[in-house]
Amino acid sequence: MKKIIPFILLSAGLLTGCFKGKEEVKTVEETKTPKATKELNIYTERHYDIDKELIAEFEKETGVTVNVAKAGADELLKKLEIEGADTPADLFITKDAARLGRAKDLGLLQQIKDEEVLELVPANIRDKDNYWTSFTYRARIFAYNKATTDPSIFSTYEDLADPKWKGKVLVRSSTNSYNQALIASMIAANGEEATRGWIQGLVANMAREPKGNDRDQSKAVIAGIGEVAIMNSYYLGKMIHSADPEERKVGEQIAIFFPNQDGRGTHINVSGMGITKYSKNIVNAERFIKFFLSEKSQARFTNENYEYPSNKNVEINGTVKSWGDFKVDSLTLSELGKNFKKGTIIADEEGWK
């Protein structure tokens, strides 16, 4: 990989400044020539080592140099909007279907036309018009202490708003994209007012003010601070196989419950990617999508990052499989983007920090 370019976007000046160092200007100009197809520019919010390693493998296999710019999804979307046709980005990668949907709605993506690739991914985890596809997904589950809690007490996300859970629920901030997507799915399923009531109840039942990441919520369960934590499934896999003995010890004490199995199913979200509308290296972008969805890459995503593979032909990692099959929320993920902003406002108004 040629370079990784992390950045924090503080102003429009900085937004337009990325990729404009002396070397980068030369690179972008080269992409204006059809013959200069030996590079690929990626905007991504994912931060995992597995992505970095797979990008390096892609470079080795293809001879294509990959330039990576990392930031939050909203910053990257703003950057794409401001740059317009001058953007150097060929691919936009996020860990949230709502942001991918927003990129589509803003006209920042173009359709993926490789039918062979699209056939690998079930329709419910890619855009219905093929403007983006997922490459992994994860479930938003309940985590509990398997030594002290009988899972028969759990049922649905909605049930966590019942007063019987007062002082027992652990969840991170509503400003996190994982919870924003969950709230958006609740609005799609139950409507705005019901979701507002759910958030009111959830906030009243929290064991503490939201803080920390998903792993911190499960650690708080084992510490006895609360009884149930809302977290993403793959974090448990990472904890069970962590190099940190304390984290591994917590992971081994945690069990998973998939909520809403008698109804619409458990909420999932995806990591996905789309080719930017003004990509100068479309062929390489298509090759990269095919590479990330290859059986070899998908096996690494599930075996090393404990995500569910989007390629339907790839076997799920043994640890992940041990949690059992579950019914996935039937909501079309493209719908998340429609409720994202409303959910964020409601959560803020009802005090979910």
Side-chain angles (χ1 to χ4, degrees):
M1 180 163 40
K2 186 177 182 181
K3 64 176 83 69
I4 296 177
I5 308 173
F7 57 86
I8 301 174
L9 304 174
L10 299 177
S11 67
L14 281 179
L15 285 167
T16 56
C18 191
F19 284 120
K20 287 191 177 180
K22 184 176 181 180
E23 183 180 357
E24 286 95 19
V25 169
K26 179 182 177 183
T27 302
V28 172
E29 288 175 349
E30 285 174 351
T31 66
K32 295 178 179 177
T33 303
K35 291 185 295 185
T37 57
K38 286 296 183 183
E39 72 169 13
L40 177 69
N41 296 318
I42 298 175
Y43 286 1
T44 179
E45 74 163 331
R46 278 179 55 106
H47 52 79
Y48 309 113
D49 290 342
I50 184 67
D51 291 30
K52 182 178 179 181
E53 293 167 9
L54 286 173
I55 288 170
E57 285 189 22
F58 175 79
E59 287 186 311
K60 185 177 180 181
E61 285 189 12
T62 63
V64 172
T65 298
V66 180
N67 302 311
V68 177
K70 292 184 180 180
D74 291 335
E75 289 92 337
L76 293 173
L77 279 171
K78 191 67 177 176
K79 180 173 172 62
L80 285 169
E81 278 191 271
I82 291 173
E83 292 173 338
D86 293 327
T87 184
D90 301 299
L91 278 173
F92 173 56
I93 297 177
T94 78
K95 50 186 180 180
D96 176 29
R99 265 70 175 205
L100 288 164
R102 180 161 172 74
K104 172 190 173 185
D105 293 342
L106 290 170
L108 299 174
L109 302 179
Q110 60 178 286
Q111 286 180 305
I112 300 168
K113 297 177 180 176
D114 191 331
E115 293 293 335
E116 182 182 343
V117 168
L118 293 170
E119 279 295 314
L120 297 173
V121 182
N124 66 317
I125 51 174
R126 57 179 164 84
D127 178 59
K128 63 182 177 64
D129 299 315
N130 300 328
Y131 279 87
W132 56 264
T133 180
S134 69
F135 53 92
T136 65
Y137 66 97
R138 65 271 176 183
R140 198 86 178 131
I141 53 85
F142 295 170
Y144 64 94
N145 186 333
K146 55 188 174 186
T148 60
T149 298
D150 180 349
S152 66
I153 64 175
F154 300 126
S155 59
T156 64
Y157 300 110
E158 289 83 348
D159 184 60
L160 294 185
D162 189 286
K164 69 185 180 186
W165 291 103
K166 190 170 183 59
K168 298 180 178 179
V169 179
L170 291 153
V171 64
R172 67 196 298 179
S173 170
S174 67
T175 60
N176 177 262
S177 61
Y178 303 148
N179 286 330
Q180 290 171 338
L182 174 62
I183 295 168
S185 76
M186 298 288 284
I187 293 174
N190 303 324
E192 286 185 46
E193 286 310 305
T195 301
R196 182 181 294 278
W198 175 69
I199 291 174
Q200 290 170 347
L202 192 72
V203 170
N205 290 340
M206 288 180 182
R208 65 182 183 188
E209 287 194 357
K211 65 178 181 179
N213 56 30
D214 274 15
R215 296 187 220 202
D216 292 327
Q217 311 313 311
S218 60
K219 291 174 184 174
V221 166
I222 298 305
I225 296 172
E227 186 160 14
V228 57
I230 301 174
M231 65 181 288
N232 278 348
S233 52
Y234 74 101
Y235 283 117
L236 179 57
K238 293 174 79 73
M239 292 178 75
I240 291 171
H241 297 279
S242 173
D244 180 344
E246 289 302 315
E247 194 163 84
R248 196 163 60 243
K249 184 177 178 181
V250 170
E252 290 169 350
Q253 297 177 76
I254 290 289
I256 276 180
F257 179 84
F258 293 101
N260 294 71
Q261 291 302 284
D262 293 330
R264 66 178 184 278
T266 297
H267 169 67
I268 65 166
N269 205 341
V270 303
S271 282
M273 53 191 164
I275 302 173
T276 62
K277 181 178 180 179
Y278 299 108
S279 169
K280 317 306 189 291
N281 301 289
I282 293 174
V283 172
N284 290 338
E286 292 173 336
R287 293 171 76 185
F288 188 86
I289 291 174
K290 184 174 288 187
F291 177 81
F292 252 35
L293 285 170
S294 69
E295 293 189 13
K296 181 175 66 174
S297 297
Q298 291 283 289
R300 291 198 61 187
F301 280 123
T302 190
N303 289 325
E304 298 178 35
N305 219 39
Y306 308 99
E307 299 173 272
Y308 291 94
S310 291
N311 185 327
K312 61 188 178 186
N313 300 321
V314 174
E315 187 171 356
I316 297 170
N317 167 266
T319 296
V320 179
K321 188 182 290 185
S322 71
W323 301 331
D325 297 329
F326 68 100
K327 179 181 177 182
V328 172
D329 190 342
S330 57
L331 174 70
T332 301
L333 290 177
S334 300
E335 297 295 311
L336 290 179
K338 296 178 181 177
N339 298 313
F340 173 80
K341 186 174 182 180
K342 286 183 285 190
T344 301
I345 292 172
I346 292 172
D348 185 59
E349 289 176 344
E350 299 305 329
W352 184 350
K353 297 180 179 178

